[in-house]
Amino acid sequence: MLWLFACTTARISWEVTPPPEVRVDTTRIAIAAEERECRAVADALIDSLGARPGVRIDPAASTWLLVTECEVSSHPVVEVQHQGGAVDAWSSEFEEQRRVVVEGQGSATIVIYSNGVELTSLPVESQASESSPWSEESVPSARLYAVDQQVVAGLADEVADSLVPLPVGLERRIYKDPEPGTARSLHNQAVAAEAAGDLHGALDLAREAYAANPNPHGARYIDELEARMGAAYAQTTD
């Protein structure tokens, strides 16, 4: 937990792990591609999921992911800009520069099975782009391939984040040495409860703080807590 101090306030930060979008046993998991077009996505998913804590890729696992309906494409787009200025009062000269932006996009569907029973399907999408230097108008095939690979990696990471999300950082503002019982003191207690994992207690205290001193910061904090609680509740009811 990190503390950053200002004059009358401080910022406290910590890490939390979001709930998975799909709850399945990922301690041992198998991955397969249904079509040839999906092999690259399946291979990338093996690398991405295999790098997540507590996940072991095992072809004999009872939980397995079938990668299907894969589409990955990229295409060049030429951008043009003009540089220059007036040469004299009656004429002007401009230099035209061009560059190529390779834009890529992809999609796939991951069908999730457990003990041979289909649980759900997870659609994923990804985008990537890469720009050439100005005045370069050609598109080397290597750049198209690189963008395709970025799109494929993005699809794999999207699936991995849905099943085994990585910790994310949270940062909150707190007040230094507030008077007990004041709105600021209640706000600090709410942040402490949130950092301890007690979202219900944090929300109750945040609402008390807002009632004592309505302000935009307090309203935003209540909204953020409600969103976190809603996401956690949605996962427990799936």
Side-chain angles (χ1 to χ4, degrees):
M1 191 175 293
L2 178 65
W3 296 74
L4 300 175
F5 289 94
C7 294
T8 59
T9 63
R11 303 198 74 85
I12 179 174
S13 61
W14 68 95
E15 286 191 339
V16 297
T17 301
E21 183 178 337
V22 179
R23 291 186 180 274
V24 293
D25 180 11
T26 56
T27 55
R28 293 171 61 245
I29 196 164
I31 299 171
E34 186 171 45
E35 306 98 5
R36 176 185 298 179
E37 293 79 9
C38 290
R39 289 179 182 174
V41 178
D43 289 342
L45 184 53
I46 289 172
D47 292 338
S48 184
L49 262 179
R52 298 295 168 106
V55 177
R56 182 162 67 93
I57 307 299
D58 181 357
S62 60
T63 300
W64 57 287
L65 311 181
L66 182 64
V67 186
T68 185
E69 299 177 353
C70 301
E71 294 185 8
V72 175
S73 63
S74 58
H75 62 278
V77 177
V78 177
E79 292 185 348
V80 180
Q81 73 172 5
H82 296 90
Q83 291 185 335
V87 176
D88 51 41
W90 300 275
S91 65
S92 61
E93 290 184 358
F94 294 92
E95 178 186 1
E96 182 179 275
Q97 290 187 320
R98 297 176 176 235
R99 71 174 179 181
V100 177
V101 179
V102 178
E103 298 179 346
Q105 53 276 321
S107 61
T109 299
I110 314 300
V111 185
I112 304 173
Y113 294 86
S114 178
N115 295 311
V117 177
E118 181 178 335
L119 298 180
T120 188
S121 60
L122 180 66
V124 290
E125 296 181 348
S126 174
Q127 295 180 337
S129 65
E130 205 171 276
S131 302
S132 70
W134 286 105
S135 299
E136 182 180 314
E137 299 184 37
S138 62
V139 185
S141 58
R143 180 170 295 133
L144 292 169
Y145 176 77
V147 171
D148 283 348
Q149 292 300 103
Q150 292 174 36
V151 171
V152 167
L155 292 171
D157 289 343
E158 184 75 16
V159 177
D161 288 341
S162 297
L163 300 179
V164 189
L166 294 172
V168 296
L170 276 183
E171 185 176 276
R172 303 296 188 208
R173 183 180 74 178
I174 61 172
Y175 298 95
K176 295 171 62 177
D177 303 321
E179 290 291 330
T182 61
R184 291 186 172 189
S185 177
L186 290 167
H187 172 80
N188 284 5
Q189 294 175 54
V191 173
E194 183 189 14
D198 181 8
L199 294 181
H200 286 279
L203 183 57
D204 288 342
L205 288 162
R207 286 170 174 165
E208 288 185 43
Y210 183 78
N213 179 27
N215 62 84
H217 173 73
R220 285 194 302 270
Y221 185 43
I222 290 173
D223 289 342
E224 291 173 10
L225 288 172
E226 289 177 340
R228 288 194 62 198
M229 287 186 61
Y233 177 77
Q235 297 307 317
T236 60
T237 55
D238 285 345

